[in-house]
Amino acid sequence: MPTHYDTLGVSKSASTDEIKKAYRKLCMQYHPDVASSSSSKSTAQPKNADKFKRISEAYSILGNENKRRRYNFDISESGIQELRKKAAKARGTAGGGGNSFAATLPRNVLIGGILGIAGVTIIRSIMPEKENDDTHHEHTGKKRLVEAWLNPKTKRWEKPRPWDQEYQRLQPVLQFVPRDQVDGGGGKR
């Protein structure tokens, strides 16, 4: 596989100016707009465009000192060996196996479940429970009140039921009364 140096036709020890000069020369030769006007062959255009892309990529790396230094390391023999070691380590084939996602998933699910249960337990212990009517009365000395109306037939307090025909006919005034006096209102709400 040709290197970027081979693509630009320069040596590995070429200066930045030599690389720039070779790039400009090749651009004038292979640029799709320039090359298409000088040659009438339509089959040469796709080849020129691909060649120009490779030339541009090579110059973008070799024209920048930091990228060139990194590229030189990557193509050197020690750089290739380093990359192979990193790839083997990532795959888990060298040095005692890897830590793959599939191997850690059951452990992560177990830890997540335990932490979730512990979190709910802590929150429940911190948050007070809702108190019922009896404990509310003991703490405040007041009973909880609800809206109700006095049914003239049964002489009992009832919760409003707008769908009930008797309730619609009478259109009673609602009042606040203690919950335990309301018919069917003694339980929790």
Side-chain angles (χ1 to χ4, degrees), residues 41-164:
K41 295 180 182 178
S42 62
T43 58
Q45 288 178 352
K47 290 179 183 177
N48 286 345
D50 290 339
K51 179 83 173 170
F52 181 74
K53 286 179 187 176
R54 287 195 304 273
I55 292 168
S56 296
E57 180 184 356
Y59 180 72
S60 70
I61 292 172
L62 299 180
N64 182 324
E65 281 299 319
N66 292 332
K67 290 181 181 180
R68 182 178 180 184
R69 211 174 302 125
R70 173 72 183 175
Y71 179 73
N72 287 340
F73 174 76
D74 288 346
I75 65 168
S76 68
E77 189 60 37
S78 62
I80 291 172
Q81 289 174 355
E82 236 1 83
L83 290 174
R84 286 182 182 153
K85 285 180 187 176
K86 285 181 185 179
K89 196 173 190 179
R91 284 192 310 261
T93 58
N99 198 8
S100 71
F101 176 75
T104 59
L105 182 63
R107 183 178 60 207
N108 291 344
V109 169
L110 178 66
I111 291 170
I114 291 170
L115 289 176
I117 291 170
V120 168
T121 304
I122 290 170
I123 290 173
R124 281 194 168 179
S125 67
I126 293 172
M127 304 276 296
E129 289 185 32
K130 283 194 166 198
E131 46 189 42
N132 59 24
D133 288 340
D134 297 333
T135 57
H136 179 75
H137 179 65
E138 291 171 6
H139 290 293
T140 62
K142 299 178 183 176
K143 292 191 172 203
R144 291 188 189 253
L145 302 176
V146 294
E147 275 188 318
W149 64 287
L150 185 61
N151 189 336
K153 288 185 179 178
T154 61
K155 304 286 188 218
R156 299 177 93 177
W157 291 99
E158 296 180 3
K159 291 181 183 177
R161 294 183 299 223
W163 58 88
D164 186 17

Side-chain angles (χ1 to χ4, degrees), residues 14-54:
S15 68
T16 309
D17 290 333
E18 290 174 331
I19 291 172
K20 186 185 278 188
K21 188 176 179 182
Y23 170 69
R24 288 183 177 170
K25 179 182 171 192
L26 291 171
C27 278
M28 293 303 289
Q29 186 178 354
Y30 291 104
H31 191 281
D33 294 337
V34 176
S36 65
S37 63
S38 63
S39 72
S40 61
K41 295 180 182 178
S42 62
T43 58
Q45 288 178 352
K47 290 179 183 177
N48 286 345
D50 290 339
K51 179 83 173 170
F52 181 74
K53 286 179 187 176
R54 287 195 304 273

